[in-house]
Amino acid sequence: MSVSSDDKFTPRPPHPRTQAVHHGTRRSQYGEMAEAIFLTQGFVYPDAAAAEARFQGTGPDEFIYARYGNPTSRMFEDRIAALEGTEDAFATASGMAAVNGAMFAMCKPGDHVVAARALFGSCLYVLDLLVRFGVKVSYVDGTDLDQWAAAITPGTRAVFFESVSNPTLEVIDIRTVADLAHAAGATVVVDNVFATPVFSRAVEQGADVVVYSATKHIDGGGRALAGVICGTRQFVREVAEPYLKHTGGAISPFHSWIMLNGLQTMDLRVRAQAEAAAGIAAALHGHPALSRVIYPGLADHPQHDLAMRQMGSGGTMIAMELAGGKEAAFAAVDRLRIIAISNNLGDAKSIVTHPATTTHSRLTDEDKARLGITPGLLRLSVGLEDARDLTADLMDALQG
């Protein structure tokens, strides 16, 4: 069978795994193979007129100051934007710098924000700060579309939610909430950390702005803090960037370099972690020491069908509730031998967290109960260890 030249050489978009290795690479005059780290706080101009032109935005698209941009950071921004399917991205010093930057850069006193109440504790703190600066914030049950419809009004500036909530793994219907928000002229901001860039299709499903704590799955090795805001070029460069570069939220070049290296293996890591999580969740399901196992990949998860449509995977995170409450949870955690006690997630090492006393400890008991953060709840981030070893570790810990 003959193949025409058109058939043989028709270009096709690169696979995300290929983009994660190559997209946005900038090489210096030395032609280095690995991405270079430009450890510099400033840049030299050929003459005074060139300096003036760059500061006025009329010169070439080059760099001014590390707080404004850096070649290594721009590589990371270009690469993650390509993976996320957005026009641009701005890398930040941490995931919370990304959340803070996205929300504060667009909101002013008198604006209205609608948010899912199931959020990471620090995200709730940022929203509380918005209230102190004159922004009205309404909270809804993120899984209840009627509550979103009732809360979003023509005066709503933005909606904000985690596509998969921390720590109880509620899955929010991005497309429907986005449709409701867009009908009112609101901007849709999605914290996509638990979904990961591997399983994310948030922009395709209606998100306008996507934020990540790159500290998690993007780094994947627990080495550094970083965050990123992905969106249109107009939002990233005209709304978010001025706020972040003047308030100091930009990422360091070294941390950008770490994130670039993390991206190269992210697809392989995250898929392996999710496969292991699915097996572990199935093994834990029905254990007599547990009153519930929460994993979007399990058929009894309330949003299982939505999770499969939206992500195609249950993800890397599992939540489980011990029937014996805090005492039983602490005892089980202390018996673990492989899984580490910490409050990070998305690491190559498996991590267990007791949200009620750590990441969500600032919430009132009433708020914790409303969100399902019970004294017996544990959050498990599945790492890259052998799933059989992790399952045995958990079974031994639960047996007592």
Side-chain angles (χ1 to χ4, degrees):
M1 176 181 175
S2 63
V3 179
S4 72
S5 59
D6 287 343
D7 289 337
K8 187 176 181 180
F9 298 108
T10 299
R12 65 179 182 83
H15 188 278
R17 191 179 293 179
T18 303
Q19 290 179 311
V21 175
H22 293 289
H23 191 88
T25 299
R26 292 167 175 249
R27 289 191 171 93
S28 74
Q29 69 271 32
Y30 299 110
E32 62 279 347
M33 186 65 179
E35 293 84 355
I37 311 174
F38 290 87
L39 288 177
T40 178
Q41 102 297 353
F43 300 86
V44 175
Y45 314 107
D47 51 51
E52 179 186 34
R54 279 195 211 173
F55 271 83
Q56 290 181 346
T58 58
D61 183 22
E62 295 297 341
F63 301 98
I64 295 173
Y65 191 62
R67 186 158 39 84
Y68 289 31
N70 175 280
T72 310
S73 299
R74 188 62 56 83
M75 281 191 273
F76 172 51
E77 291 165 350
D78 288 347
R79 197 167 292 181
I80 191 66
L83 288 173
E84 200 61 30
T86 58
E87 292 178 347
D88 211 339
F90 191 89
T92 62
S94 68
M96 287 315 306
V99 172
N100 175 75
M103 299 306 296
F104 266 84
M106 80 166 90
C107 292
K108 64 183 185 303
D111 281 348
H112 178 225
V113 172
V114 181
R117 62 171 57 99
L119 294 171
F120 177 53
S122 295
C123 292
L124 291 168
Y125 182 81
V126 168
L127 294 177
D128 287 346
L129 284 178
L130 283 175
V131 172
R132 287 169 55 185
F133 283 93
V135 176
K136 181 182 177 183
V137 178
S138 301
Y139 291 99
V140 298
D141 177 344
T143 64
D144 188 334
L145 297 175
D146 289 337
Q147 289 192 30
W148 283 106
I152 297 169
T153 70
T156 301
R157 177 69 182 89
V159 302
F160 175 65
F161 57 91
E162 296 168 352
S163 54
V164 181
S165 72
N166 180 3
T168 53
L169 306 179
E170 296 177 351
V171 183
I172 309 301
D173 187 336
I174 298 173
R175 189 180 303 281
T176 303
V177 174
D179 287 345
L180 292 168
H182 290 155
T187 299
V188 179
V189 183
V190 175
D191 183 332
N192 222 25
V193 169
F194 278 30
T196 79
V198 173
F199 300 127
S200 160
R201 294 191 296 275
V203 173
E204 176 186 317
Q205 292 156 354
D208 300 303
V209 179
V210 179
V211 294
Y212 284 104
S213 172
T215 310
K216 312 302 191 292
H217 300 89
I218 293 174
D219 172 14
R223 296 167 292 191
L225 295 175
V228 66
I229 301 171
C230 303
T232 65
R233 186 158 291 109
Q234 185 276 331
F235 182 89
V236 169
R237 296 301 161 186
E238 297 179 23
V239 179
E241 180 184 339
Y243 174 84
L244 287 159
K245 73 183 184 183
H246 291 300
T247 56
I251 194 171
S252 78
F254 181 64
H255 286 192
S256 290
W257 181 79
I258 290 175
M259 299 305 148
L260 280 165
N261 281 272
L263 283 175
Q264 295 178 4
T265 60
M266 179 182 64
D267 190 277
L268 294 167
R269 287 185 285 101
V270 169
R271 291 187 188 279
Q273 289 168 300
E275 181 180 357
I280 292 167
L284 292 173
H285 194 260
H287 193 287
L290 300 174
S291 55
R292 58 176 175 156
V293 175
I294 309 171
Y295 182 67
L298 291 175
D300 66 351
H301 188 281
Q303 295 92 42
H304 170 72
D305 291 342
L306 173 62
M308 294 302 102
R309 292 197 311 271
Q310 197 159 280
M311 298 192 299
S313 169
T316 68
M317 306 295 298
I318 302 170
M320 66 194 87
E321 183 179 15
L322 277 84
K326 177 182 174 180
E327 182 179 353
F330 273 32
V333 164
D334 290 345
R335 285 192 289 266
L336 291 167
R337 293 294 174 261
I338 298 173
I339 301 168
I341 306 170
S342 187
N343 48 281
N344 192 27
L345 60 96
D347 199 307
K349 302 175 182 67
S350 293
I351 292 170
V352 68
T353 306
H354 186 254
T357 55
T358 58
T359 56
H360 290 72
S361 59
R362 66 181 293 269
L363 299 181
T364 65
D365 290 341
E366 181 182 0
D367 287 338
K368 290 175 189 174
R370 184 185 299 116
L371 297 173
I373 304 173
T374 64
L377 187 76
L378 295 175
R379 187 190 74 187
L380 174 65
S381 173
V382 177
L384 290 174
E385 303 94 342
D386 188 278
R388 293 165 297 185
D389 291 338
L390 295 175
T391 301
D393 196 28
L394 287 161
M395 292 299 181
D396 289 345
L398 292 172
Q399 184 175 348

